[in-house]
């Protein structure tokens, strides 16, 4: 016997739950407002990044002559120039370009799953959800590699004024520039990565439900739409993190 | 507890054809905008103008994701504004605090040097 309390027929009176404010269902509306509050959190983190960046000296000289120093905020082409399997090669922004493409692709497969849900096409929903889970997991793997590289550092490191060398970064020392730079890197990309991880967990849950025919029996795939909203938001945040961290 | 409409969708022949034209168009716009960003990153010297170009392109990308993928363009006006107005205030806060950061940097420089 089912323990769920889902109503067989929704209430329809204006004061009986039948009224839909803003012509969106309760679940979708609440997802929108949750995402709005989440956007405030990410906005706050990016605002702190902008403020910290502007109170440090920007490097204005020739980019080729740039060396890591606590004096300057680092320029992104010099920090993010590594690629898995290509040790020691200078490939500025190549890996982050790959990550961005993967996340945009996962957004497309998600919207295709939503579209399939509108048509009640269970097989297509399953197929596109699996692709989205795959791309999301690859993105998480890429981020794990990126973090591992950022923490262990490159071969040159940074030479301090007393002659000691430091490699890599943690919350207090950082070979790439001011320690605050690494703190913000860990916080912002970490918070985004946590969102991607939660998104993958939600996708696995709705994938299992889809396979079991839960949404088919319910008569609509609105849950896929709601998780889709969340997943696109994660992609949206990455668009901003990418611009402010890796380009500017 | 099977509801009555479950058998409505059992025939695979009833499933309409996918309508994915707009989705792929949006995808190619996003890829193109990202490619343009990389083009500027490698061919143009860093500076205020380049940063402004990046921010404008980012806003275009954000528009396509929110309007098409998140379907906000097709929601009611009231929902669109209840999402956009709070975000506009966040942008205001961002501009205010970034200029505050520059001011803080200037004053510390002038005070100690």
């Amino acid at each position: 016997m089912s323990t769920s309390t889902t109503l067989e027929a929704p209430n329809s009176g204006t004061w009986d739950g039948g009224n839909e404010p803003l012509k969106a269902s309760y679940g979708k509306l609440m997802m929108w407002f949750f995402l709005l509050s989440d956007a405030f959190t990410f906005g706050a983190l990016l605002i702190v990044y902008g403020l910290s960046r502007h109170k440090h000296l920007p490097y204005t000289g020739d980019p080729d002559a740039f060396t890591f120093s606590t004096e300057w905020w680092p320029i992104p082409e010099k920090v993010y120039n590594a690629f898995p399997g290509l040790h020691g090669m200078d490939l500025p922004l190549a890996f982050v370009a790959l990550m961005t493409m993967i996340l945009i692709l996962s957004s497309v497969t998600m919207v295709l799953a939503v579209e399939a849900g509108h048509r009640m096409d269970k097989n297509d929903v399953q197929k596109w959800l699996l692709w989205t889970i795959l791309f999301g997991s690859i993105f998480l793997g890429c981020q794990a590699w990126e973090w591992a590289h950022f923490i262990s550092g490159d071969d040159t490191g940074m030479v301090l004024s007393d002659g000691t060398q430091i490699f890599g970064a943690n919350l207090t020392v950082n070979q790439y520039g001011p320690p605050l730079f690494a703190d913000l890197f860990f916080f912002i990309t970490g918070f985004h990565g946590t969102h991607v991880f939660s998104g993958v967990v939600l996708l696995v849950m709705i994938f299992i439900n889809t396979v079991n025919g839960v949404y088919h029996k319910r008569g609509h795939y609105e849950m896929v739409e709601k998780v889709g909203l969340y997943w696109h938001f994660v992609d949206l945040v990455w668009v901003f993190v990418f611009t402010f961290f890796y380009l500017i | 507890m099977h509801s009555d409409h479950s058998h409505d969708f059992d025939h695979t022949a009833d499933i309409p054809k996918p309508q994915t034209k707009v989705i792929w168009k949006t995808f190619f716009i996003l890829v193109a905008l990202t490619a343009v960003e990389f083009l500027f990153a490698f061919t143009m010297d860093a500076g205020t103008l380049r940063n402004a170009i990046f921010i404008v392109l980012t806003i275009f990308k954000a528009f396509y994701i929110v309007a098409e993928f998140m379907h906000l363009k097709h929601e009611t006006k009231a929902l669109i504004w209840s999402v956009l107005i709070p975000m506009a205030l966040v942008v205001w806060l961002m501009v205010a605090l970034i200029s505050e950061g520059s001011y803080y940097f200037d004053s510390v420089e002038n005070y100690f040097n």
Side-chain angles (χ1 to χ4, degrees):
Chain A
M1 194 183 147
S2 171
T3 50
S4 78
T5 53
T6 315
L7 291 168
E8 281 299 290
N11 292 332
S12 55
T14 307
W15 296 100
D16 195 25
N19 198 8
E20 283 190 343
L22 308 179
K23 294 198 179 64
S25 73
Y26 174 80
K28 266 204 265 183
L29 205 55
M30 290 306 116
M31 182 51 91
W32 270 111
F33 289 131
F34 162 68
L35 293 180
L36 193 59
S37 72
D38 221 13
F40 291 162
T41 316
F42 276 110
L45 286 169
L46 286 173
I47 286 168
V48 172
Y49 182 78
L51 181 130
S52 312
R53 206 191 155 129
H54 274 247
K55 62 181 254 221
H56 283 84
L57 192 63
Y59 180 75
T60 49
D62 181 22
D64 292 329
F66 177 82
T67 49
F68 294 135
S69 138
T70 47
E71 202 181 344
W72 298 304
W73 201 258
I75 51 178
E77 298 100 288
K78 297 285 169 183
V79 182
Y80 313 104
N81 63 353
F83 202 89
L86 301 170
H87 183 83
M89 284 173 75
D90 179 40
L91 299 161
L93 306 179
F95 192 52
V96 74
L98 181 69
M99 286 167 73
T100 305
M101 282 301 137
I102 290 167
L103 209 57
I104 292 178
L105 259 179
S106 81
S107 232
V108 172
T109 54
M110 185 73 236
V111 82
L112 287 169
V114 172
E115 196 270 344
H118 285 304
R119 296 183 287 111
M120 298 300 294
D121 189 340
K122 187 180 154 187
N123 290 337
D124 261 18
V125 174
Q126 285 173 29
K127 177 178 79 179
W128 293 121
L129 279 182
L130 265 186
W131 277 111
T132 315
I133 292 167
L134 179 76
F135 286 132
S137 310
I138 294 174
F139 181 86
L140 279 175
C142 291
Q143 212 170 27
W145 186 88
E146 174 114 322
W147 269 51
H149 179 80
F150 193 84
I151 291 167
S152 58
D154 59 14
D155 295 335
T156 44
M158 185 204 280
V159 185
L160 297 179
S161 52
D162 61 353
T164 53
Q165 264 188 305
I166 48 172
F167 297 99
N170 55 38
L171 290 177
T172 48
V173 288
N174 169 12
Q175 74 155 66
Y176 309 101
L180 194 56
F181 171 72
D183 298 350
L184 287 162
F185 174 84
F186 290 130
F187 241 94
I188 295 177
T189 62
F191 198 54
H192 177 261
T194 312
H195 276 75
V196 180
F197 178 73
S198 321
V200 171
V201 171
L202 289 172
L203 285 170
V204 169
M205 285 163 68
I206 60 167
F207 176 73
I208 293 168
N209 279 347
T210 307
V211 172
N212 289 339
V214 173
Y215 306 131
H216 209 86
K217 274 177 219 149
R218 197 177 284 171
H220 59 80
Y221 281 81
E222 198 189 276
M223 194 57 82
V224 180
E225 266 182 75
K226 282 181 276 195
V227 175
L229 279 178
Y230 177 79
W231 190 257
H232 296 311
F233 173 76
V234 170
D235 183 31
L236 179 71
V237 168
W238 180 255
V239 165
F240 282 92
V241 170
F242 170 67
T243 300
F244 289 112
F245 247 94
Y246 295 88
L247 291 179
I248 289 183
Chain B
M1 288 216 305
H2 291 264
S3 56
D4 291 338
H5 40 240
S6 65
H7 59 267
D8 290 350
F9 306 103
D10 282 346
H11 309 289
T12 43
D14 293 347
I15 296 171
K17 284 267 163 284
Q19 300 290 325
T20 56
K21 222 173 127 186
V22 181
I23 297 170
W24 287 108
K25 202 184 117 195
T26 312
F27 168 70
F28 286 119
I29 290 171
L30 288 174
V31 171
L33 286 174
T34 310
V36 171
E37 281 183 333
F38 276 104
L39 196 71
F40 278 112
F42 290 124
T43 57
M44 200 173 166
D45 289 333
T48 314
L49 179 65
R50 196 179 77 164
N51 289 350
I53 292 170
F54 284 150
I55 289 169
V56 169
L57 288 172
T58 304
I59 290 167
F60 273 117
K61 276 161 80 176
F63 169 80
Y64 280 105
I65 292 173
V66 176
E68 294 297 344
F69 285 177
M70 297 173 88
H71 219 253
L72 188 63
K73 204 172 141 190
H74 311 283
E75 303 287 351
T76 55
K77 275 219 167 60
L79 180 54
I80 295 174
W81 285 117
S82 47
V83 171
L84 285 189
I85 291 173
M87 285 327 290
L89 296 174
V90 172
V91 172
W92 177 19
L93 182 65
M94 185 168 232
V95 172
L97 281 183
I98 283 175
S99 61
E100 187 76 3
S102 303
Y103 173 75
Y104 184 83
F105 170 70
D106 281 344
S107 58
V108 167
E109 281 287 291
N110 293 334
Y111 199 79
F112 291 110
N113 297 330

